Amino acid sequence: MEHQHEHQHHEMPEMTGHQHDKHHNADHGSDQHMGHAGHDHYAMIADFRKRFYVVLVLTIPILLLSPMIQHWLHWQLSFSGSQYILFVLSSIVFVYGGWPFLTGWFSEMKAKNPGMMTLIGFAITVAYVYSAATVFGLKGMDFFWELATLILIMLLGHWIEMKSVAGASRELELLVQLMPSDAHLVHGEHIMDVKTDTLKENDLILIKPGEKIAADGLVEEGDSYLNESMLTGESAPVQKTKGQKVIAGSVNGNGSLKIRVTHSGKDSYLFKVVDLVRSAQEAKSNTQLLADKAARWLTLIALLAGIATFVVWISLGRDLAFAMERMVTVIVICCPHALGLAVPLVVAKSTSLSAQHGLLIKNRTAFENARKITSIVFDKTGTLTKGKFEVSRIVAGDGQNEDEIIRLAGALESNSEHPIATGITAEATKRKLKLPLASDFKAITGRGVEAIVEQKRIMVVSPGYLEENKVQLPANYNQAGNETVVFVLIDDQMAGFIALADTVRPESADAIATLHENGIKSLLLTGDNKQVAESVSEQLRMDGFFAEVLPHQKLEKIKDLQQKGEFVAMTGDGVNDAPALAQADIGIAVGSGSDIAAETAGIVLVNSNPKDIVKLILFGKATYRKMIQNLSWATGYNVVTIPLAAGVLYDQGILLSPAIGAVLMTVSTVVVAINASLLKVKT
């Protein structure tokens, strides 16, 4: 899948465009990393606020000096030259208050991309030029007061709207601020404080109780519980002991840890998350492109409708002032503000929310298409199951006990990295057994291991070895579908057997049940044997399974489903699943830590929790719903208000002034912003 990383220039170039572009200098420390763009954005918000207050102060005398307002209020305030004072005050409002809109209009014209600013700039210029002409001799009624209130409300609208956009981006800044700025570098006997961004691979750092982890790494010394909730959405603290991975930005509990750095600051998991979130916010999806197209059309319609309104009223014999006012109102009301923001606000909100819940969206379109999924294909190991062998039961022969069998088997297996070996040694550790030393260690190819322990010859072997050597199976031997069994022989005598299984995650059953409730089929795809696959599939009540599938065949299975008309999501841990992840309509890579899994996936789940996949689909649906609600509102509002602004109901006494038009436009934008901010991840 391609990553559509075009920059997002929707209808407000001077406002949101540069929010993104400056973010990509990732080689700064955490503060600077965000810094410039964030500060620019807040400086702009402050600028709009200042312009709003200046215009507000000037609008009061403009209103008092306007003949129309005096006529309505039945009072008189007129002195020689009053219209010139009105002209000067209005000129200041036009130039100072209207400056952002006029410069925006100019840059849109230069980019040959007329939009929001073109409409506002055109409307206020027409109003100003016409009103100025009336002061210097043109017959007609000025509308300086409408110009002033129009600019005032536009500034307020922009200010409110920029604050809501900043709110969505701020969640991203919070992610960056998770990185502590300093770290304690262990240098022989000394500990010195250094800046986090100077840390290199293989540095040793000390994390004191309650501090944030400064870099991704492996625990070299110590034992503590870490809170990783902001990174993974997982609320329970996670125990970390020697050799385990830690993620930068997680918060240490009450133990102290020494960490061997595996990634420098800018390669850390957290920065990758931030960059992913950022590029996802910038990437355009189909819905976004639709909104952009609609906004462009609306700009053209606005200009044409405005000019048509002017022509119609003039030809009906109305005066120039009335026709001008109608034209300006139509153009203002038409501003595709709400439309330009309908999707970007939801995008900004959804990507940062997702990141906080351990869902990393690399491809926006894949995320929005999550609502179409009809089948999910799960890789078994590590997704639905824990991905590691655990001892499920120990059966001891005559005169033996369970601890003794594990102790002797553990002595042999402690040298091996094999999943079965690690399962047995983990069980010995759990039972707090001290493992004796083994000598004369030999591997029996494909069949097991043997060694001398405490002067006895101990063997840990597979059922295949018993068959080949005609060794009698124990009388009490039985095997469950998803178990792997090894036998322990002491001096060639059967001592008992150990059954191990890759246990199903407790969350898997709930996840599959929720998928069924939402009408989505779940299928298991595994390289394991049929017996194991069937056992897991039945236990979780899945819709089917494919067993003994080799990596290159996974792709074929996905293709087969697609040819049957299914919209397929594939989840896998990335390495052997890459081709299948790429083939699937939506590839979801699972796997925590810094190795943000397979490039081929459109979405990455930080935790390997199957419940997150369900969360992702439901959140994708909710996000899409919000976008459509916003688009419907933004277009519906224009369909209703444009005819009113043009004066269709003039005979019924309904007429909108430019200021009312501006209020309606601002309200429409605020409705869209509030609706976007109500988006939530169901947990």
Side-chain angles (χ1 to χ4, degrees), residues 248-259:
S250 43
V251 182
N252 188 14
N254 46 16
S256 80
L257 296 171
K258 280 190 182 165
I259 310 278

Side-chain angles (χ1 to χ4, degrees), residues 393 395-398 473-479 496-497:
R393 59 201 178 104
V395 180
D398 298 339
L473 282 167
N476 53 1
Y477 172 70
N478 60 345
Q479 184 185 6
F497 63 91

